[in-house]
Short mmCIF file of all heavy atoms in Angstrom, two decimals:
data_model
loop_
_atom_site.label_atom_id
_atom_site.label_comp_id
_atom_site.label_asym_id
_atom_site.label_seq_id
_atom_site.Cartn_x
_atom_site.Cartn_y
_atom_site.Cartn_z
N GLU A 177 -7.72 -25.37 5.08
CA GLU A 177 -8.77 -25.00 4.15
C GLU A 177 -8.79 -23.49 4.04
O GLU A 177 -8.66 -22.78 5.03
CB GLU A 177 -10.11 -25.50 4.71
CG GLU A 177 -11.17 -25.65 3.67
CD GLU A 177 -12.38 -26.37 4.25
OE1 GLU A 177 -12.22 -27.28 5.08
OE2 GLU A 177 -13.49 -25.97 3.90
N ILE A 563 38.87 28.46 -5.87
CA ILE A 563 40.31 28.61 -5.60
C ILE A 563 40.97 27.24 -5.62
O ILE A 563 41.99 27.01 -6.27
CB ILE A 563 40.54 29.27 -4.22
CG1 ILE A 563 39.99 30.69 -4.22
CG2 ILE A 563 42.01 29.26 -3.86
CD1 ILE A 563 39.94 31.31 -2.84
N VAL A 729 46.32 -6.10 6.03
CA VAL A 729 45.19 -5.22 5.70
C VAL A 729 44.31 -5.09 6.94
O VAL A 729 43.87 -6.09 7.50
CB VAL A 729 44.36 -5.76 4.51
CG1 VAL A 729 43.20 -4.84 4.21
CG2 VAL A 729 45.23 -5.94 3.28
#
Side-chain angles (χ1 to χ4, degrees):
Chain A
E177 201 170 323
I563 296 169
V729 179

